[in-house]
Amino acid sequence: MADINPMTLSLSTRAIHGRKLYPFKGPVSLPIYQTSNFRFESSDDAVKYASGDPSVYVYSRYHNPTIRDVEEKLALMEGAEEAALFASGMAAISTAVFATASSGDEIISTPALYGGTYRFFRDELPKSGITVKYVDSENLAAIESLVSPKTKIVYFETPTNPTLDIVDMKAIVEHTRKGEKKAGHKLLLIIDNTFATIVNQDPLAAGVDAIVESATKYLCGHSDIVAGVVLGNKEYLGRVKTVAKYHGGCADPFAAYLLFRSLKTFELRVRKQNENALALAKALERHPSVARVIYPGLPSHPAHVIAAKQMTGFGGMVTIEVRNKRTAAPLDAAVAVCDHLRVVVNAMSLGGVETLVSIPVYSSHVHMNGDELRRHGVTNGMIRISVGVEGVEDLIGDFAQALEYA
Ligand SMILES: Cc1ncc(COP(=O)(O)O)c(C=O)c1O
């Protein structure tokens, strides 16, 4: 019987079985190596480890079999040569940057980013001598004029948080590659694929070099761990793993186990979230207390055509702008709606099986000034909804009653 190439299997099959196909023999679920260090059979093992033998485990900040299994599964799922698991999405993002950029280097990014990433770029990177320049996602050709010999990374998110703007992946790949001529070297194009996930878009197949993702969100999907991942080719991930050793943002074996377990239902969950989000977005578009619904799957979204080209589903995130009727101002209306939801949970974060709401000016974008909020398109009346897998009629009903308080 010929062996199966796991890459020929569907996403769900890869997410459930990983590389553990016939004739693999062993536990059906993943053992948790809850240990900081590993016994050597003899000191020869130390020598083997020092010479780079991957079969010798030493210390869990460097590597751990439970974490390794999750990394292999994620690489297989996302079509990457290698993956590195981290203690958080931010540990993944910062390590991904420091693996390529150092003092004197420049990054080009689209401005609509997760608030934590934006503040890392704005407040932390300058302390290491790294500068970030911003390019409007509607004018990606400007990448070529912004590139200099100091540019090392082009960074973007799509859909963006919380405004769900779409960055044209084909165009950003094209302009980054053209920019390489001016830079005189290869530019590392990184996407944060947390919102869409591999279920809805395939950045590596589109020509993006590396993916960072908060595994806290859809990959885990149960709001019970914090983790992150970097995916890309072997050469880059080798550098990521070296920097990770010294920055120390290693994943925890128990969190890795929970992630491994959750990945088995990942595709099912995300497809249901896509479906629920589209139905909820359509219902909210008809509600008189909703001034605007932003969802890439709606024809009213300004970049719906691009989204339809590069995404196979439109994700589980919906953002609305509330029209204040009873309250004095849009922010009061957003607060009143969030405070009257009974099924939907008023909590930060996203991607879990339970539907959550958050007000960006009070959560992800709380440390931004008025100008920055305008540039990011974030308004006071916005509510960001992370749609879960509940019965969609319950969600529609809950929003309908809570919006009466807007
Ligand atoms: C798009 C995006 N990227 C990265 C992060 C950071 O991930 P973590 O909270 O796991 O560090 C978040 C967190 O909300 C996010 O929404």
Side-chain angles (χ1 to χ4, degrees):
M1 197 163 49
D3 285 349
I4 295 176
N5 172 3
M7 273 317 288
T8 61
L9 301 172
S10 72
L11 177 60
S12 269
T13 310
R14 280 177 275 151
I16 292 166
H17 297 288
R19 293 190 178 278
K20 303 235 159 69
L21 300 167
Y22 180 86
F24 171 79
K25 196 173 135 191
V28 172
S29 79
L30 181 68
I32 307 171
Y33 284 82
Q34 193 67 44
T35 183
S36 52
N37 46 359
F38 298 82
R39 278 173 82 133
F40 294 143
E41 197 178 331
S42 79
S43 295
D44 279 355
D45 280 348
V47 177
K48 274 195 205 153
Y49 167 72
S51 64
D53 182 341
S55 68
V56 180
Y57 285 96
V58 173
Y59 189 55
S60 285
R61 175 159 51 81
Y62 304 167
H63 50 185
N64 169 292
T66 308
I67 293 169
R68 186 63 203 143
D69 267 17
V70 180
E71 290 175 340
E72 280 185 356
K73 188 183 266 194
L74 285 167
L76 186 66
M77 286 168 57
E78 309 233 7
E81 285 178 14
E82 226 347 322
L85 194 67
F86 288 87
S88 68
M90 283 314 300
I93 291 166
S94 55
T95 310
V97 167
F98 286 124
T100 291
S102 51
S103 183
D105 289 342
E106 289 174 359
I107 295 173
I108 297 173
S109 177
T110 50
L113 297 169
Y114 161 61
T117 307
Y118 182 75
R119 290 196 294 277
F120 169 62
F121 284 3
R122 185 191 67 185
D123 303 337
E124 298 305 316
L125 284 183
K127 295 178 194 162
S128 301
I130 300 168
T131 313
V132 184
K133 293 176 174 173
Y134 290 99
V135 64
D136 198 338
S137 61
E138 263 118 59
N139 185 19
L140 294 169
I143 290 175
E144 292 167 52
S145 50
L146 286 179
V147 164
S148 81
K150 294 177 187 170
T151 313
K152 293 289 166 63
I153 295 172
V154 176
Y155 187 99
F156 72 111
E157 285 177 23
T158 183
T160 63
N161 179 11
T163 46
L164 305 175
D165 289 339
I166 299 295
V167 175
D168 185 333
M169 280 207 284
K170 191 163 168 269
I172 203 164
V173 168
E174 197 181 298
H175 293 299
T176 301
R177 298 300 164 235
K178 283 190 186 158
E180 286 171 348
K181 290 192 193 85
K182 199 171 157 205
H185 53 251
K186 180 155 173 47
L187 300 170
L188 182 76
L189 179 60
I190 306 181
I191 183 175
D192 181 333
N193 205 32
T194 302
F195 269 38
T197 81
I198 186 64
V199 175
N200 291 321
Q201 70 190 11
D202 188 348
L204 298 181
V208 174
D209 299 308
I211 298 174
V212 290
E213 218 163 320
S214 169
T216 316
K217 318 298 182 194
Y218 291 99
L219 288 172
C220 173
H222 291 76
S223 309
D224 54 5
I225 66 161
V226 177
V229 63
V230 181
L231 300 124
N233 69 27
K234 281 208 160 84
E235 185 276 324
Y236 173 56
L237 263 289
R239 283 187 280 130
V240 167
K241 288 187 181 209
T242 302
V243 174
K245 262 189 188 174
Y246 307 114
H247 282 235
C250 59
D252 171 73
F254 187 59
Y257 164 79
L258 287 173
L259 176 57
F260 190 89
R261 188 180 200 267
S262 301
L263 288 174
K264 298 182 186 195
T265 55
F266 166 63
E267 188 179 2
L268 270 180
R269 286 186 276 106
V270 175
R271 292 212 184 281
K272 175 73 176 162
Q273 283 165 310
N274 287 345
E275 211 178 274
N276 276 0
L278 182 60
L280 181 64
K282 283 182 179 167
L284 291 174
E285 234 182 5
R286 292 191 292 268
H287 199 289
S289 297
V290 177
R292 184 157 74 117
V293 178
I294 312 172
Y295 184 65
L298 292 177
S300 58
H301 189 288
H304 174 65
V305 174
I306 299 169
K309 256 195 258 167
Q310 66 189 28
M311 301 178 83
T312 51
F314 299 103
M317 302 301 297
V318 178
T319 295
I320 58 172
E321 260 177 353
V322 179
R323 177 177 288 129
N324 57 308
K325 283 184 169 168
R326 285 204 203 178
T327 53
L331 182 56
D332 299 331
V335 168
V337 172
C338 291
D339 286 348
H340 283 88
L341 288 163
R342 291 296 170 258
V343 175
V344 174
V345 182
N346 186 352
M348 288 201 210
S349 198
L350 62 113
V353 290
E354 54 288 292
T355 300
L356 306 177
V357 285
S358 69
I359 298 176
V361 293
Y362 280 163
S363 53
S364 56
H365 289 66
V366 71
H367 294 295
M368 288 189 191
N369 62 36
D371 257 7
E372 286 171 313
L373 289 174
R374 257 188 302 284
R375 210 150 23 100
H376 285 74
V378 177
T379 63
N380 282 342
M382 263 183 185
I383 300 177
R384 190 192 74 179
I385 310 165
S386 168
V387 183
V389 303
E390 300 96 333
V392 74
E393 60 289 352
D394 300 325
L395 302 177
I396 293 170
D398 201 23
F399 276 103
Q401 66 77 23
L403 280 161
E404 296 303 321
Y405 297 88

